[in-house]
Amino acid sequence: MTIILNSEEIKRCVRLDNKMISIIEEAFKSLALGKATMPPILRLDIEKYHGESDVKAAYIDGLDSYAIKVASGFFNNPKLGIPSSNGLMILLDAKTGVLKSILLDKGYLTDIRTAIAGAIAAKYLSNSDSTIVGIIGAGIQAKLQLQALTLVRKIKNVYIWARDIDKVNNYIRDMKKLNINLKACATPEEVVRQSEIIVTNTPSRSFIIKYEWLKKGMHITAVGSDAEQKNELDPLIIKNCDIYIPDCLSQTKILGELNHAILNKVVSSSNHYNELGNVILNSKLGRRRKEDITVCDLTGTGVQDTAIARETYRIAMHLNLGIKIG
Amino acid sequence: MTIILNSEEIKRCVRLDNKMISIIEEAFKSLALGKATMPPILRLDIEKYHGESDVKAAYIDGLDSYAIKVASGFFNNPKLGIPSSNGLMILLDAKTGVLKSILLDKGYLTDIRTAIAGAIAAKYLSNSDSTIVGIIGAGIQAKLQLQALTLVRKIKNVYIWARDIDKVNNYIRDMKKLNINLKACATPEEVVRQSEIIVTNTPSRSFIIKYEWLKKGMHITAVGSDAEQKNELDPLIIKNCDIYIPDCLSQTKILGELNHAILNKVVSSSNHYNELGNVILNSKLGRRRKEDITVCDLTGTGVQDTAIARETYRIAMHLNLGIKIG
């Protein structure tokens, strides 16, 4: 019996909260401890329509189910009046491979688990008294990242820049509900120079944040890059920061900001870096001094998908949601 | 709107027939012509439970949809009284990535497109007057391969061997419906020495068919190997046969019989071979003489999945099958 859950049902089950932080932290820990099997991402590009589908999957030792996720991005869609992102997750029984559930989340669960990863990065890497956030990009993920940050830091002021001023205005209108001071900036430099925590959330193909703008004590979470050609941070930031933490080193080497630092020959591809899960397990591997500049490079991992799909299914069963197909 | 189709509905839509041969031939042609985007297979192994999930995907230029397929094999399942194979296909709109359909086929469509590939291999590579078939293995695919062969060759006699004699007896009982003489053999050698077309359908990890058993004019289709460790044919067969044809060369090099011939250093990994699609496009690339020994190495391709998923969806829409989820 397979349970099909639609996006409205899924939204009733999981959201940005502290419980989800714990769940995603456990997923990162399992990855760092070598307790997860996570194959390389499958990516199918449909260049003609400026689209792509990514498939991620991970099994976490000892769990009774695992997820396979399909996430698509079709970047002409907004012109057609439909969202560019799309997706679903499939939950399978770990002992038999039997299909337990199909989660027709349209990308919602990916959005949530990505924002939660940003909150975890800030929780372990930013200075605990940080109150000023800089947001680059003004899409859904930029909104969720700010909301998620409020779970771990007392955010008082937010500076935001995005290419499209209409989207910035929409962002500020939407985020008013958080009771934070929000201010649009004319340039990314203006955002960066005023902030303590920076979150980048764009699909940019050339870097937006320059190393020379950074100041001591800053934390940056780079969320946007999840493909070879995407790049938000000056490679010198990766080279010169005090602590660089990838979500998954084998992924950031080819898909993240680290990829561009390697391509630009400012860091070696053989460098070792602790992953976010290592820092969760041992906070001494994160920020050591108040003045450290820390960077977290997020490409999105299959263990996060497995963790959030399992939790969604668990709650959906409890609430008796979904339709059953035999 | 996404259409969910269950396995009974899917079975009403497609089966082993000549129309499906044409559809799968077109898929192989597109692959050979470079008109398909087909990323490497994603494989997640769950060693603890002797299970695996494979994900295949392909986009064929010009088509309005593409499939992503999840196929799982959990080899302890028969002990639990459930089939080892499982799976589903997802059909997405090629212009927008929007989810058109979920085909809960439980592996049926994979079984069909694989058997059809075997029929295509025999159609283009075996001598047209072949009437005697040797079957190695007695599972579902071994049954479907024989049925599919009857679409392209006038089969009169079948010799079969499998490790499990109960499965052989079940096979013979089941295949009586084809009105062909079926005979169980005590060894694979006995099968091979009497046959004109051989189809191997096992998950064997060491080769079953020896080169010295072969005789001139024979055709072999190797269906079983779709993973690094699987191997049904003596590497010398790949080395010494007159024509070796992979379904997809980049896959058979790492997952097929060719893989083992390379590992055993009897053929070079840089050898070029025409693919099945090339032979469909130009039959001169296949068998040249009556006495040629021909081999087709099938690992299963994403283009076959996209082709059969699209056809299933087309017919299901025509028959108004499935449930709609918004």
Side-chain angles (χ1 to χ4, degrees):
Chain A
M1 196 64 80
T2 301
I3 308 292
I4 316 261
L5 296 167
N6 68 31
S7 59
E8 286 68 33
E9 291 166 325
I10 290 166
K11 285 176 186 170
R12 285 177 60 191
C13 296
V14 296
R15 61 193 63 77
L16 294 174
D17 58 20
N18 284 304
K19 189 173 132 209
M20 193 48 67
I21 289 182
S22 304
I23 288 167
I24 300 298
E25 283 182 356
E26 289 305 312
F28 281 123
K29 283 196 238 174
S30 69
L31 189 62
L33 290 168
K35 290 186 173 175
T37 310
M38 195 170 84
I41 299 163
L42 177 152
R43 188 165 93 225
L44 177 64
D45 286 303
I46 301 188
E47 288 172 15
K48 185 174 174 188
Y49 299 115
H50 198 24
E52 64 179 58
S53 286
D54 277 355
V55 183
K56 293 180 180 177
Y59 169 63
I60 299 173
D61 286 1
L63 299 190
D64 66 358
S65 61
Y66 62 102
I68 298 175
K69 181 184 78 174
V70 177
S72 301
F74 278 69
F75 303 101
N76 295 337
N77 282 4
K79 290 178 205 155
L80 307 170
I82 53 177
S84 53
S85 293
N86 235 303
L88 79 162
M89 293 194 187
I90 296 158
L91 193 69
L92 301 110
D93 186 294
K95 286 187 186 167
T96 63
V98 167
L99 193 58
K100 289 168 82 86
S101 185
I102 297 176
L103 295 81
L104 298 168
D105 68 315
K106 298 183 179 171
Y108 172 77
L109 295 174
T110 300
D111 288 343
I112 295 294
R113 64 81 154 144
T114 304
I116 291 287
I120 294 169
K123 176 179 166 186
Y124 288 93
L125 294 168
S126 73
N127 278 308
S128 59
D129 59 355
S130 302
T131 60
I132 311 169
V133 172
I135 298 284
I136 304 292
I140 292 168
Q141 189 53 223
K143 292 177 184 175
L144 292 172
Q145 285 288 338
L146 178 59
Q147 279 185 262
L149 276 180
T150 65
L151 297 170
V152 298
R153 291 289 178 263
K154 288 210 169 68
I155 309 304
K156 293 180 183 162
N157 292 289
V158 174
Y159 297 94
I160 172 170
W161 174 86
R163 267 174 229 276
D164 182 344
I165 184 68
D166 291 338
K167 286 183 80 178
V168 171
N169 291 333
N170 164 287
Y171 187 97
I172 290 176
R173 265 196 309 278
D174 237 39
M175 293 292 103
K176 282 253 165 69
K177 65 185 177 194
L178 299 177
N179 289 315
I180 298 173
N181 296 316
L182 293 137
K183 188 169 178 296
C185 293
T187 64
E189 182 175 357
E190 211 182 308
V191 170
V192 173
R193 291 207 184 264
Q194 300 182 82
S195 303
E196 293 164 324
I197 296 172
I198 306 282
V199 188
T200 60
N201 312 275
T202 74
S204 181
R205 289 169 177 240
S206 55
F207 68 80
I208 298 172
I209 312 271
K210 287 191 183 168
Y211 174 62
E212 65 205 57
W213 302 342
L214 305 192
K215 59 172 185 270
K216 296 280 181 199
M218 184 169 258
H219 168 73
I220 305 173
T221 299
V223 179
S225 182
D226 59 356
E228 287 84 351
Q229 71 285 2
K230 293 186 190 168
N231 181 206
E232 299 183 287
L233 305 186
D234 185 346
L236 291 176
I237 295 177
I238 308 304
K239 180 184 181 214
N240 295 328
C241 68
D242 297 287
I243 307 284
Y244 166 82
I245 301 290
D247 56 358
C248 169
L249 182 57
S250 61
Q251 288 188 188
T252 65
K253 270 186 187 175
I254 53 173
L255 305 174
E257 299 302 329
L258 181 58
N259 169 40
H260 294 274
I262 292 168
L263 290 175
N264 282 280
K265 299 190 197 306
V266 301
V267 307
S268 160
S269 65
S270 60
N271 280 10
H272 178 74
Y273 297 100
N274 290 301
E275 296 182 346
L276 188 52
N278 299 110
V279 178
I280 297 168
L281 285 159
N282 177 5
S283 61
K284 287 178 186 158
L285 301 175
R287 172 177 294 276
R288 289 161 305 192
R289 299 165 305 173
K290 188 141 178 78
E291 62 268 30
D292 279 349
I293 293 177
T294 56
V295 174
C296 187
D297 192 358
L298 298 179
T299 49
T301 63
V303 290
Q304 291 166 268
D305 297 323
T306 283
I308 199 167
R310 281 171 47 80
E311 177 65 3
T312 304
Y313 177 76
R314 188 185 71 75
I315 296 175
M317 290 306 88
H318 184 69
L319 298 177
N320 203 21
L321 300 176
I323 55 168
K324 294 175 181 64
I325 294 195
Chain B
M1 196 63 79
T2 301
I3 309 292
I4 316 261
L5 296 167
N6 67 29
S7 59
E8 286 68 34
E9 291 166 324
I10 290 166
K11 285 176 186 170
R12 285 177 60 192
C13 295
V14 296
R15 63 193 62 79
L16 294 174
D17 58 21
N18 284 304
K19 189 173 133 210
M20 193 48 67
I21 288 181
S22 304
I23 288 167
I24 300 297
E25 283 182 357
E26 289 306 311
F28 281 123
K29 283 196 238 175
S30 69
L31 189 62
L33 291 168
K35 291 187 172 173
T37 310
M38 194 170 83
I41 298 162
L42 177 153
R43 189 166 91 223
L44 177 63
D45 287 301
I46 302 188
E47 287 172 16
K48 185 175 174 187
Y49 299 115
H50 198 23
E52 63 178 61
S53 286
D54 277 355
V55 183
K56 294 180 180 177
Y59 169 64
I60 298 174
D61 286 2
L63 300 190
D64 65 0
S65 60
Y66 62 102
I68 298 175
K69 181 185 77 173
V70 177
S72 300
F74 278 69
F75 303 102
N76 295 337
N77 282 5
K79 291 178 205 157
L80 306 170
I82 53 176
S84 53
S85 293
N86 236 303
L88 79 164
M89 294 193 186
I90 296 159
L91 194 69
L92 301 111
D93 187 294
K95 286 187 185 166
T96 62
V98 167
L99 192 59
K100 289 169 82 86
S101 185
I102 297 176
L103 295 80
L104 298 167
D105 69 316
K106 298 183 180 171
Y108 172 77
L109 294 174
T110 300
D111 287 342
I112 295 295
R113 64 79 154 144
T114 304
I116 291 288
I120 294 169
K123 175 178 167 187
Y124 288 93
L125 293 168
S126 73
N127 278 309
S128 59
D129 59 356
S130 302
T131 61
I132 311 169
V133 172
I135 297 284
I136 305 292
I140 292 168
Q141 189 54 221
K143 293 177 185 176
L144 292 172
Q145 285 288 338
L146 178 59
Q147 279 186 263
L149 277 179
T150 65
L151 297 170
V152 299
R153 291 290 178 262
K154 290 210 169 68
I155 309 304
K156 294 182 184 161
N157 292 288
V158 175
Y159 297 93
I160 173 170
W161 174 86
R163 268 175 230 276
D164 181 344
I165 185 67
D166 290 340
K167 286 182 81 178
V168 171
N169 292 333
N170 165 288
Y171 187 98
I172 289 175
R173 264 195 311 277
D174 236 41
M175 293 292 103
K176 282 250 164 72
K177 66 186 176 194
L178 298 177
N179 289 316
I180 298 173
N181 296 316
L182 294 137
K183 190 169 178 295
C185 293
T187 65
E189 182 175 357
E190 210 182 309
V191 170
V192 172
R193 292 209 184 262
Q194 299 183 84
S195 302
E196 294 165 325
I197 297 172
I198 306 282
V199 188
T200 60
N201 311 275
T202 74
S204 181
R205 288 169 178 240
S206 56
F207 68 79
I208 298 173
I209 313 270
K210 288 191 183 167
Y211 174 62
E212 65 205 57
W213 302 342
L214 305 191
K215 58 173 186 267
K216 296 281 181 197
M218 184 170 260
H219 169 72
I220 305 173
T221 300
V223 178
S225 182
D226 59 355
E228 288 82 351
Q229 71 284 4
K230 293 185 190 169
N231 181 204
E232 299 183 288
L233 305 186
D234 185 346
L236 290 177
I237 295 176
I238 309 303
K239 180 184 181 214
N240 295 328
C241 69
D242 297 287
I243 307 284
Y244 167 83
I245 301 290
D247 55 359
C248 169
L249 182 56
S250 61
Q251 288 188 187
T252 65
K253 270 186 187 176
I254 52 172
L255 305 174
E257 299 302 329
L258 181 58
N259 169 39
H260 294 274
I262 292 167
L263 291 175
N264 282 282
K265 301 191 195 307
V266 301
V267 307
S268 160
S269 65
S270 60
N271 279 12
H272 176 74
Y273 297 100
N274 289 300
E275 296 182 346
L276 188 52
N278 298 109
V279 177
I280 297 168
L281 285 159
N282 177 4
S283 61
K284 287 179 186 159
L285 301 175
R287 172 177 294 275
R288 289 162 305 193
R289 299 165 306 173
K290 188 142 178 76
E291 61 271 29
D292 279 349
I293 293 177
T294 56
V295 174
C296 187
D297 192 359
L298 299 179
T299 49
T301 64
V303 291
Q304 292 165 265
D305 297 322
T306 282
I308 199 167
R310 282 172 46 80
E311 176 66 2
T312 305
Y313 177 76
R314 190 186 70 76
I315 296 174
M317 290 305 89
H318 184 69
L319 299 177
N320 204 22
L321 301 177
I323 55 168
K324 296 176 181 63
I325 294 195

